Amino acid sequence: MSQIELDQVARKILTDNDQGGYTVPTKGLYPYQWNWDSVFVARGFATFDTDRAWREIELLFEGQWRDGMVPHILFRKDDPSYFPGPSVWGTDGGPIPSSGHSQPPVAATIVRDLLELDASDAALDRAKLLFPKILQWHRWFMAYRDPDNLGVIAVIHPWESGRDNLPDWDDALRGVEIKDVAPYERKDTSHVDPAMRPHKEDYDRYLSIVAACRKVGWEPEKVARTCPFFVADPGITFILLRACRDLLALADRLGETAAQPEVEGWISRMETGAARLWNSELKAHVAMNLRTGKQSDGVSSASFLAPYAGLTDPEVLKPLREHFDRISAKVRYLMPSYDPEHQAYEHLRYWRGPVWAMVNFMIARGFAEAGDPGRSDRLRRDTAALIQTGGFAEYFSPETAEAAGGGSFSWTAAIWLAWARPSQADQAA
Ligand code: GLC
């Protein structure tokens, strides 16, 4: 397919998945509004319909809870083709039925992008309305996902990380007792090949965590203290750290200076705290089980988000570049979600090896900002090649470019339009 045709298909995927103001990740497998999907989708819409881009984020924040949390799924209408639906979550924290935890907070970063693309008065007004909501969401993360002021952000469920099936969660997940799980029927494996999805035992534990949080009424202090899963995640920590820097810039732009000292405090807390996630043997940031203090032992795609978070000390950057080059010698397409030399790596099982376009987008941005345009562009070219070969899939094999998971996927289309598509300059060359 030519580039123009791919552009057209990408736009059509977004408009077809549009449910009237919010966009589903893909029909069938994910029939609701997902948090970080919507935000990346907004970035894609911004390339051809800025009004629609703002709308996507505004609708996401309509689901914000009274305590500030923005849920990972908004169940705007009942869809029996998805499990676990609203009755399993049993939440009551906000105006729209939802899941009970959040997802990586990319909104501040993308809202800042939207303002750069569209600085009309109307856009400024919309950003002003979103600003306090995003601030409140970040405050919620700092209070309830870092209750001991460690400067690292925990996830209470693998799904909160957005990298659901990552080997980093295995050890902590094994510690979750399987209990209070009513008989259930999975729906994901009827939409896609079970070999690309998590195992049944993992699913039992996912549901046990949900049951434990439901028992304490999803009250955030109680969840933080009692949830059987509480693992500091470099992905969410780096994404929030980055988002706080963007929020600070937004505050400046929007005249919201009163919020700045608080946001600056969060930034320095995470800048210091990130060192706790540094695995000195591996020389990379990894996850850490905050209930036991145990670090995970593999390089994941989130390890490469340190520069995106603004952590660019040579002691971090140099080993990261070495990991980058080592991994690029092992697989054809970057960046695998898990180290291809780790025993847990599987090139097609989700989050245990495959490549996600939006993760590449963030990693590349960080490398470019850290003065490494070569590695940044390598990521862009690989992402473009994966899409040109495999189409707009949910994720791809880093070895063969095989398309995996769901098809006609919104964030893959959005990332194509916003970043991965070869630029005019490339085509002229
Ligand atoms: C999977 C991914 C998650 C994403 C969701 C919808 O659960 O792990 O990150 O938000 O699908 O695309």
Side-chain angles (χ1 to χ4, degrees):
M1 236 187 265
S2 73
Q3 162 143 0
I4 292 179
E5 284 165 329
L6 281 167
D7 290 352
Q8 281 164 353
V9 175
R11 284 193 285 265
K12 188 162 178 345
I13 288 173
L14 292 186
T15 47
D16 282 355
N17 287 342
D18 182 0
Q19 305 294 300
Y22 76 93
T23 308
V24 296
T26 185
K27 291 191 179 140
L29 184 61
Y30 300 120
Y32 297 112
Q33 183 173 20
W34 258 258
N35 187 322
W36 68 334
D37 295 68
S38 262
V39 179
F40 288 114
V41 157
R43 184 65 189 79
F45 270 122
T47 64
F48 64 100
D49 186 346
T50 43
D51 172 60
R52 186 58 190 75
W54 288 104
R55 196 81 200 109
E56 186 80 30
I57 298 183
E58 288 159 358
L59 260 67
L60 175 65
F61 278 87
E62 278 181 10
Q64 184 163 34
W65 282 20
R66 292 179 290 279
D67 63 16
M69 197 269 278
V70 183
H72 107 287
I73 308 175
L74 296 181
F75 301 115
R76 286 178 176 274
K77 50 186 175 205
D78 238 9
D79 196 320
S81 71
Y82 183 80
F83 178 86
S87 62
V88 179
W89 290 92
T91 61
D92 179 27
I96 298 172
S98 73
S99 62
H101 57 67
S102 201
Q103 247 190 342
V106 278
T109 303
I110 300 298
V111 164
R112 188 179 176 194
D113 284 355
L114 294 193
L115 262 194
E116 251 154 55
L117 294 166
D118 168 19
S120 63
D121 285 349
L124 277 170
D125 289 344
R126 294 174 98 161
K128 271 191 195 138
L129 285 174
L130 283 168
F131 182 86
K133 301 180 184 176
I134 304 176
L135 180 70
Q136 213 203 339
W137 187 24
H138 287 201
R139 192 177 287 139
W140 173 90
F141 267 113
M142 299 310 295
Y144 303 120
R145 295 299 187 254
D146 181 22
D148 296 322
N149 290 320
L150 298 174
V152 292
I153 307 299
V155 291
I156 62 133
H157 196 295
W159 296 343
E160 189 161 59
S161 74
R163 299 183 299 145
D164 305 17
N165 198 33
L166 197 74
D168 284 3
W169 318 135
D170 290 358
D171 188 59
L173 205 56
R174 265 194 298 274
V176 173
E177 193 191 338
I178 297 179
K179 66 176 198 189
D180 300 327
V181 180
Y184 65 96
E185 189 197 335
R186 280 171 74 169
K187 299 287 168 68
D188 58 325
T189 41
S190 62
H191 296 290
V192 304
D193 181 351
M196 297 174 182
R197 299 291 303 178
H199 298 287
K200 153 100 171 91
E201 203 185 304
D202 298 329
Y203 239 81
D204 288 347
R205 295 206 156 93
Y206 294 155
L207 294 172
S208 302
I209 302 173
V210 170
C213 297
R214 201 176 52 219
K215 259 193 175 162
V216 297
W218 294 102
E219 275 184 44
E221 307 85 3
K222 290 191 185 154
V223 167
R225 297 289 164 212
T226 64
C227 182
F229 188 95
F230 203 69
V231 182
D233 171 19
I236 216 154
T237 302
F238 290 160
I239 287 169
L240 182 61
L241 174 49
R242 165 54 181 255
C244 283
R245 295 187 199 282
D246 290 318
L247 194 63
L248 199 60
L250 278 174
D252 195 42
R253 180 77 198 279
L254 301 170
E256 296 279 356
T257 44
Q260 285 177 325
E262 186 180 12
V263 181
E264 278 161 359
W266 298 335
I267 292 173
S268 58
R269 183 162 132 200
M270 285 186 279
E271 278 176 344
T272 312
R276 294 177 194 275
L277 302 183
W278 184 254
N279 181 319
S280 48
E281 238 170 85
L282 274 185
K283 297 207 182 314
H285 292 96
V286 298
M288 184 166 79
N289 184 343
L290 292 178
R291 299 285 186 237
T292 62
K294 191 170 168 197
Q295 283 189 335
S296 59
D297 66 354
V299 175
S300 75
S301 50
S303 308
F304 294 96
L305 289 175
Y308 175 82
L311 304 179
T312 52
D313 286 349
E315 306 87 81
V316 170
L317 263 194
K318 189 170 172 288
L320 215 49
R321 290 192 172 121
E322 286 166 10
H323 283 305
F324 190 109
D325 297 344
R326 174 180 61 78
I327 291 175
S328 64
K330 288 279 160 204
V331 293
R332 163 64 191 87
Y333 304 95
L334 295 175
M335 183 52 79
S337 38
Y338 217 63
D339 191 333
E341 296 197 279
H342 192 281
Q343 75 223 11
Y345 168 82
E346 291 180 73
H347 80 121
L348 276 179
R349 195 180 294 277
Y350 112 133
W351 293 111
R352 302 179 90 84
V355 181
W356 264 258
M358 86 301 173
V359 176
N360 279 1
F361 167 67
M362 292 187 287
I363 301 175
R365 201 162 176 168
F367 274 83
E369 288 164 354
D372 191 342
R375 290 186 180 79
S376 174
D377 200 52
R378 165 75 201 265
L379 286 159
R380 192 194 57 71
R381 281 184 281 113
D382 283 8
T383 311
L386 286 167
I387 293 172
Q388 280 153 344
T389 316
F392 293 98
E394 181 177 3
Y395 49 94
F396 305 87
S397 161
E399 296 171 20
T400 63
E402 183 179 338
S408 297
F409 220 84
S410 296
W411 63 16
T412 312
I415 294 296
W416 169 265
L417 292 170
W419 168 71
R421 66 195 288 282
S423 68
Q424 320 269 334
D426 288 332
Q427 288 168 61

